[in-house]
Structures are given as structure tokens and as C-alpha cells.
Amino acid sequence: MESINHANFLRLAIPFTLSTVTQPLLGAVDTAVVGHLDSPAFIGGVAIGTVIFNTLYWLFGFLRVATSGFSAQTLATAEAAPSILAWLRPLSLASGIGLLFIAAQQLIIDIALQLYGADLVTSTQARHYFDILIWAAPLVLIGYVNLGWLMGRGHVREVLWLQIGTNSLNILLDYLFVTHFHAEVAGVAWATLISQSAAFVLGLFFVTRQIPLAAVSKHLAALFDLEEIKKIAAVNRDLFIRTACLLTMTNIFVARGSSMGADILAANAILFQIQYLIAYLFDGLANAASVFAGRFIGAGDKHNFVKTGTIASQHLIILSLTLLVLLPLGQNLLLSLFTDLDSVLAVCNSYFFYLWLFVLTMPSGLVYYGFYVGATCSGPVRNSLLLALALFLPLVWGLIPLWQNHGLWSAFIAFCGVRSLVLLSGWTQLQAKIFPATKALPESVCQATAS
């Protein structure tokens, strides 16, 4: 097996970064196109609608993340069955969850709007957005499985086409529907629905080129292997808890910001979109780390696994320093892309420095998360978010009465810092658990920490 070096790490990391950064770019474009309309209620409506779907989909983001890890580990075997089942098992789960979301759509939107407590105009816009986009739920979740499987197998070209192609379509339709057809929030939702449908079709096309349907039918009986289901369930459970913690934090952030008025809600939405863009830049490094981690674990190659950690850390530092220089230089231009409302821009400028703090506290947690995922060692990932949320909640309760929105952002930065510290502190322990003395594919990697 090829040894890891900077060149082959970047051959995966750069395409993965280009592909993953288009995902938050969608949210940024959604916010930007309505940010140039005549009311902050449009930004707030899209912000709330986006958070609702982030809540629904991110809770089941393990369908991509875990699939990527299990798929990468099957690279060490020449047998077809493990890679086919690494796709089929999460695919069946994704289909059922998506259909359940559609069946419960009225309950979901009613509860969400009560939780956020926005004004009537903003809530109406959020409902328009939700009522259109909910019909793509099964397609999105199946798309997570397709993307995760392709990433785990290292199919870079297909990942690029899938992410960049369909997300570019979304951006184009956003501009067309809102700017030219004046469809406002509904236009943003229709643009996203069409692009999500396209991603579903294209993803299935790419996967079935690697896995012929005739081969799939031969392995349907193995879908319900109890031991394999237990392994997948342990990883998925921990990643579900991890995501639930992230979404609890995000929803509290949006809800508390919403209670501070339309301008604060709109400004926080814009800054959070920029934060997502930054996070997904590092997610490209994390995805590359995940693929190499799974590959070297499958081959029992500790040397290259550890070396991947060193290389990923070096690129993490370089990217962090670059952003710390570029953010203040591009602040005014960046914010003007999202809105031309003076009241919202003034609030954004007051809180922009929290994005610098985000770059200092979050990237390590994002990148090292990739190693734990590639190792299907999900316990520390779960614990890092539980501890981060345990600090965030009392800080929100204690700091907002004192510092208002500054208190909210301070709690968020603390959340980011704890998450990174926990995963960094467990790096040596991770190596010891994965590579005790064996050269074979671990029967259940990090089982002790996943329980």
C-alpha cells in the first residue's frame, strides 16, 4: 500500500475541500439572495427554515459519516460483499427515516416555530420555506449514504461532480428564482428542492456504476446480520448523540438570538453562514484524514496512520493562519455580499471578531474528528460534544443576562474550544486502542470507547 505523504494527502484533501465547501455555500447564497430584499424578515425566515432542516438532517448525518468510515475500511479486502453491504445497510435506514419526516411534517413545523418564537412575518416565511423543502427528505438522506460511500472509497472525481455540480445548480436557481422571478423565500426553497433531487439521481448513478444492481441482489440476505448491525448501531448511536448535541447548541443559539430582535437574528444568521464556510474548509482535511485512517487501519499500518495525523496537523495550522490574515482584510467585502441593510451590517461588524476566535478554537476538533470517524471509534466524538454542551448551557444561562448577544457568542466559542481539547487529548489513546499488536482488520475498532 502506498505510503502517506503531503502530495497524496492533498490529492484527496483539496478535492474534498472544494466539494464540501459548496454545501455551506448554499446556505450562504440562500441568505445572501434574500438579504438584498427589503426586510430582515426574509433573512430570518430562511435562517429558521435552514436550522429546522439542519436539525432534521444533521441528526442523521451519521448516514454519511459512518458510511464513509466503514466504506474506507473495506478497501483492505478484495471481496465485494463488505463494500456492497457498507452501502446497502445505511441506505435502507435512510429511506425509512426520510419517509417518516414527510409523514410528520405538520408536527415538525408547528413545534419548531413555537420553539424559535420569531415574529409572525418571519414565522410565515419560515413555513413557506419548510412546506416546499420537506418533500426532498428521503432524497437528501439517501444522498448522504451515496456521498459517504463514494468518499470512503476515495472516488474523488465522482464526489466533485456530485457536490460541486448539484450545489452550483442550486446557486444558479437561487439567483434565477429570487432575482428574476421574484419568488422570494419560496424561490430559495424550490431551488434547493430541485438541486437535492438532482443530487439524489446523480449519486445513485455513480454508486451503481461501482455496484451493479445484479450484485446488490445477491447480498440482500446479509443485510440483517446481527453482529454487523450491532457494530453499525454502536457507531451510529454515538454519532447521533454527537449531532444532537451540536443541534441543541445551534437551536439554542438561534432561538436566543431570535428573542433579541430581527436585526440580531439576521446578523447572527449571516455570521453563522460564514462560520459554516470556514468549518467546511477544514472538513475537507477531516474527510481526507478519515479515508486514510480507514485505509491504514484496514491494512494494520500504524506508521502511516500516525504520519497522517502529523501531515493533517501541519495543513490545519497553515489553513488557520491563512484565515486569520484574510478575515480582517476581507471583512467589509464579505459582509456586503450577504446584505446591504445598514442596521444588519452594523450588528455584523460588532460581532465579527468572534469568527477569528472560532478559527483559533474549532479547527483541531473538526480535523481530528476525521480520524475518529475513519477508525469508527465514535465514543470520544460523542464525549467531546457532551462535555462541550455541558459547558455551553450554563454559560448561555449566565452570560446572556450580563452581555446579551456577546454572551451568546462567548458561550459558542467555549463550546468549540472544549470539543477540540477533548479530541486532541485522546489522540494517543486512539492509537493505542486501534493498534495494540495486530496487523489484521480489527474485529470492532475502538469497541471499548464506542459503548
Side-chain angles (χ1 to χ4, degrees):
M1 180 174 289
E2 185 181 8
S3 178
I4 184 69
N5 55 46
H6 286 279
N8 54 29
F9 182 83
L10 289 176
R11 274 198 295 269
L12 273 187
I14 292 174
F16 280 165
T17 298
L18 291 174
S19 65
T20 56
V21 80
T22 60
Q23 189 62 40
L25 188 59
L26 291 182
V29 171
D30 287 349
T31 303
V33 293
V34 296
H36 289 87
L37 299 177
D38 58 4
S39 170
F42 292 118
I43 306 177
V46 170
I48 290 175
T50 299
V51 170
I52 293 171
F53 284 108
N54 284 347
T55 302
L56 295 178
Y57 296 149
W58 288 2
L59 277 172
F60 297 94
F62 61 75
L63 291 167
R64 180 189 72 79
V65 175
T67 300
S68 179
F70 284 112
S71 175
Q73 290 185 12
T74 65
L75 289 168
T77 176
E79 296 180 20
S83 66
I84 293 173
L85 292 170
W87 177 64
L88 279 180
R89 289 191 177 108
L91 183 73
S92 59
L93 180 60
S95 303
I97 295 169
L99 292 173
L100 182 62
F101 283 165
I102 290 177
Q105 61 181 281
Q106 195 59 51
L107 179 64
I108 292 169
I109 186 62
D110 288 344
I111 291 175
L113 292 180
Q114 285 185 353
L115 173 66
Y116 297 128
D119 59 71
L120 179 61
V121 177
T122 301
S123 295
T124 300
Q125 297 301 326
R127 187 180 290 274
H128 288 333
Y129 184 87
F130 178 89
D131 288 346
I132 294 168
L133 210 48
I134 187 62
W135 296 98
L139 309 184
V140 171
L141 295 178
I142 293 171
Y144 282 1
V145 175
N146 293 336
L147 181 61
W149 190 87
L150 290 167
M151 293 179 82
R153 302 293 293 180
H155 293 302
V156 174
R157 189 188 325 175
E158 288 84 352
V159 170
L160 282 170
W161 272 105
L162 187 57
Q163 289 285 84
I164 296 179
T166 57
N167 290 340
S168 297
L169 174 64
N170 195 338
I171 292 168
L172 176 63
L173 292 176
D174 263 344
Y175 179 77
L176 182 66
F177 290 168
V178 177
T179 303
H180 289 278
F181 296 158
H182 307 291
E184 298 177 339
V185 169
V188 172
W190 277 112
T192 304
L193 177 64
I194 292 169
S195 66
Q196 288 173 342
S197 302
F200 165 76
V201 172
L202 190 59
L204 279 182
F205 171 72
F206 285 145
V207 171
T208 54
R209 285 178 65 191
Q210 307 294 326
I211 304 177
L213 293 179
V216 170
S217 62
K218 296 177 183 178
H219 299 283
L220 291 176
L223 269 178
F224 304 104
D225 182 289
L226 186 59
E227 289 303 313
E228 291 299 320
I229 289 174
K230 284 181 179 178
K231 292 178 190 177
I232 294 171
V235 173
N236 287 347
R237 177 202 62 206
D238 289 336
L239 294 178
F240 181 91
I241 293 171
R242 166 255 184 194
T243 309
C245 292
L246 273 174
L247 289 170
T248 299
M249 179 276 294
T250 302
N251 280 278
I252 289 173
F253 190 98
V254 173
R256 296 305 298 268
S258 176
S259 68
M260 298 178 195
D263 285 342
I264 290 288
L265 173 61
N268 282 356
I270 289 171
L271 294 176
F272 237 66
Q273 290 299 337
I274 298 172
Q275 173 262 145
Y276 286 140
L277 287 170
I278 295 170
Y280 274 79
L281 286 173
F282 290 97
D283 200 47
L285 300 180
N287 287 328
S290 176
V291 171
F292 281 112
R295 185 179 300 175
F296 293 134
I297 288 168
D301 188 344
K302 180 178 180 180
H303 170 75
N304 275 303
F305 177 83
V306 175
K307 189 176 178 182
T308 303
T310 302
I311 290 174
S313 296
Q314 291 169 348
H315 290 289
L316 181 160
I317 292 170
I318 292 169
L319 182 55
S320 297
L321 292 175
T322 302
L323 287 170
L324 287 172
V325 172
L326 292 180
L327 275 173
L329 294 177
Q331 178 174 336
N332 292 334
L333 175 62
L334 189 59
L335 294 177
S336 67
L337 294 174
F338 284 91
T339 186
D340 50 14
L341 296 172
D342 290 338
S343 59
V344 176
L345 283 171
V347 178
C348 286
N349 280 304
S350 297
Y351 296 95
F352 194 87
F353 72 93
Y354 285 106
L355 295 179
W356 308 339
L357 297 178
F358 175 79
V359 173
L360 292 172
T361 55
M362 179 60 92
S364 296
L366 289 171
V367 174
Y368 275 81
Y369 162 69
F371 288 98
Y372 290 91
V373 169
T376 58
C377 182
S378 52
V381 174
R382 172 201 63 205
N383 295 342
S384 69
L385 270 298
L386 286 171
L387 289 170
L389 185 63
L391 177 63
F392 176 79
L393 292 174
L395 286 179
V396 165
W397 179 79
L399 294 181
I400 289 180
L402 296 175
W403 299 340
Q404 296 299 309
N405 202 39
H406 283 291
L408 183 59
W409 277 96
S410 297
F412 170 69
I413 295 301
F415 178 95
C416 297
V418 169
R419 178 186 180 187
S420 293
L421 284 173
V422 172
L423 293 182
L424 280 173
S425 65
W427 174 240
T428 301
Q429 185 182 16
L430 176 67
Q431 297 171 45
K433 285 184 177 295
I434 295 171
F435 298 103
T438 182
K439 297 292 183 184
L441 179 66
E443 180 69 21
S444 182
V445 175
C446 278
Q447 190 64 33
T449 57
S451 60

